[in-house]
Amino acid sequence: MHNFPSNENTGSIDRGLYVHIPFCVRKCAYCDFYSLSDRSDLVGPYIDAVLDEGAAYGGMSFHTLYIGGGTPSVIGSANLKKLIDGLRRCFDLSSVVEATIETNPESAIDELLSAALESGFGRISIGVQSLSDSELRSVGRVHIAEQAAEALTRARRAGFKSISADLIVGLPGQSRESLRGSIEGLIDTGVDHLSLYCLSLEPGTPLAAEPPRDLPTDDEQAELFDAARSLLIESGFIHYEISNFAVEGHGCLHNLNYWRGGEYLGLGPAAASHLDGKRFKNRADLDAYLHDPNDILDEIEELSPIDKSAEEAMLRLRLLREGIDVVSFTKRYGLKNVYELLYRLEKLMGEGLLVFDGTSYRLEPSQVLVSNPILARVLSD
């Protein structure tokens, strides 16, 4: 068994590796991520292409590993082992302190869970979304609530050190009672981490084309989120990021690295990277990727120190407990590069949108659900 160290280390992470798996059983009505529901016959060639792309960055070292999608669990145990063994040949993964795999309940079978553990994964993220069958049906989820609860229980029994679940707020027909039932049910299974996402109608999705009549209004969605947040905090979870709650010591280190402005490499179509001051992204085109995984770059951008500092500040404000430490932030970028940014932060604090404790700026807790325009003002006036 290839064990990575545990994720008890919550300090700074230098670099993360993300691998995108663009396959799923069926596309959900709300999903605008790059995933395909009818191409599972290409899983084998796809793994080969990912390893081909990875070889171009050979020798790099990483501190977190995250396999996301799509639905990574649909590739099966043999292909998962093939992928991880190949990544170990491409990269130095000896310093990985957290390895996460995403799964959906219907494909989180014992064989897959065992293969993930044997490949070194200590953290699993399961796409539950709701423990109400009617809510799941309303957005085209494949699984039922019973499967979700069973998957979480199997993951705990199998030996995963950290178990995360995704939950959607604002599903058609959702009420405070049904949302409370979902959260209490998840807590009963022993989850350590919960990602709480507000449903949004993304252009080009079936849900946006035909919005259900029983979709909660924006105000009702906000009330649902507030009720969920209160319940989770009462249950011992820390609201550490706008959409994320965790038991102490179980925050997602891979995502924390994103929010702290760290470096990361993304492999696969639609995967994004941030290395050596440059941001770049692969095209969302599976066929082109299979043809040549090293000739699929879609966007390349090099940020100036001023723009990079503003972007990192915006991301760090998502971290509700950490925020922006002014001294270390100014030291890293230089006063001339953050002078205008600090003026914007001070202005936002004066308007009651941020708080300052003498060392760090943080988002005012009451502004969590209306944070997007605030974060946009951090980037630029």
Side-chain angles (χ1 to χ4, degrees):
M1 181 181 294
H2 300 288
N3 283 322
F4 294 121
S6 73
N7 70 342
E8 291 302 309
N9 170 22
T10 56
S12 178
I13 300 300
D14 294 323
R15 190 183 294 141
L17 173 61
Y18 173 81
V19 180
H20 187 64
I21 305 296
F23 306 106
C24 59
V25 175
R26 184 171 70 197
K27 193 86 169 175
C28 297
Y30 56 83
C31 181
D32 70 335
F33 291 130
Y34 183 64
S35 60
L36 304 163
S37 60
D38 57 352
R39 307 297 295 276
S40 58
D41 58 310
L42 297 176
V43 168
Y46 181 74
I47 300 300
D48 292 335
V50 168
L51 297 178
D52 189 1
E53 184 186 11
Y57 300 92
M60 289 182 66
S61 62
F62 297 94
H63 301 82
T64 62
L65 169 64
Y66 196 107
I67 310 297
T71 309
S73 46
V74 302
I75 69 174
S77 56
N79 280 311
L80 178 62
K81 289 180 179 179
K82 176 183 175 182
L83 172 63
I84 301 307
D85 287 345
L87 292 176
R88 289 179 185 277
R89 291 192 296 271
C90 291
F91 305 115
D92 176 8
L93 301 183
S94 63
S95 298
V96 168
V97 296
E98 176 193 85
T100 304
I101 183 169
E102 289 183 350
T103 71
N104 273 348
E106 72 280 357
S107 53
I109 60 176
D110 287 338
E111 182 184 2
L112 187 282
L113 298 179
S114 295
L117 286 164
E118 289 171 5
S119 296
F121 289 89
R123 186 175 185 276
I124 188 169
S125 178
I126 301 179
V128 173
Q129 314 312 350
S130 172
L131 289 182
S132 162
D133 285 338
S134 62
E135 291 173 7
L136 292 169
R137 285 194 302 270
S138 72
V139 289
R141 296 294 292 178
V142 174
H143 69 275
I144 60 174
E146 184 180 5
Q147 285 177 300
E150 289 175 352
L152 291 163
T153 300
R154 283 199 303 273
R156 177 63 67 196
R157 189 170 58 237
F160 284 92
K161 295 182 177 68
S162 287
I163 300 175
S164 179
D166 291 346
L167 199 63
I168 296 178
V169 174
L171 288 168
Q174 191 175 64
S175 65
R176 289 183 65 147
E177 292 72 26
S178 68
L179 180 57
R180 183 181 187 88
S182 289
I183 292 173
E184 289 177 341
L186 291 173
I187 292 173
D188 287 344
T189 67
V191 297
D192 319 292
H193 187 283
L194 236 170
S195 295
L196 203 62
Y197 300 115
C198 288
L199 182 68
S200 59
L201 300 181
E202 300 296 338
T205 63
L207 203 66
E210 296 184 30
R213 293 180 180 179
D214 56 351
L215 203 64
T217 65
D218 289 346
D219 287 344
E220 289 169 340
Q221 190 181 80
E223 291 173 2
L224 288 167
F225 187 93
D226 280 336
R229 174 172 56 181
S230 297
L231 176 57
L232 284 166
I233 291 172
E234 289 169 8
S235 302
F237 283 74
I238 298 163
H239 191 188
Y240 75 98
E241 193 272 341
I242 288 175
S243 300
N244 288 274
F245 300 75
V247 174
E248 187 72 58
H250 291 274
C252 180
L253 301 186
H254 184 84
N255 288 339
L256 279 167
N257 180 52
Y258 292 148
W259 297 317
R260 289 169 177 161
E263 291 197 332
Y264 49 91
L265 172 66
L267 302 178
S273 302
H274 173 218
L275 295 173
D276 299 324
K278 295 184 178 66
R279 290 189 314 199
F280 48 99
K281 185 177 181 180
N282 288 339
R283 287 199 312 279
D285 186 334
L286 176 60
D287 292 322
Y289 186 79
L290 291 173
H291 177 70
D292 188 349
N294 295 302
D295 186 28
I296 195 174
L297 281 184
D298 190 29
E299 304 169 14
I300 304 176
E301 183 179 12
E302 186 165 6
L303 297 177
S304 69
I306 292 176
D307 290 338
K308 180 67 178 75
S309 65
E311 181 180 87
E312 182 177 329
M314 179 270 292
L315 291 169
R316 283 183 174 269
L317 283 175
R318 296 188 62 93
L319 298 175
L320 304 180
R321 291 207 302 174
E322 294 182 21
I324 305 164
D325 182 289
V326 175
V327 173
S328 62
F329 198 78
T330 303
K331 184 176 181 180
R332 183 159 61 256
Y333 287 104
L335 181 58
K336 69 175 183 178
N337 292 318
V338 301
Y339 182 81
E340 292 183 6
L341 168 64
L342 295 177
Y343 173 78
R344 293 198 295 273
L345 295 175
E346 193 68 16
K347 186 176 179 181
L348 289 167
M349 185 192 71
E351 296 176 26
L353 304 176
L354 302 181
V355 294
F356 183 66
D357 63 4
T359 60
S360 300
Y361 288 98
R362 295 191 307 278
L363 189 66
E364 160 56 49
S366 65
Q367 303 299 313
V368 166
L369 284 176
V370 290
S371 59
N372 284 344
I374 299 171
L375 299 180
R377 288 179 59 188
V378 172
L379 287 173
S380 172
D381 260 342

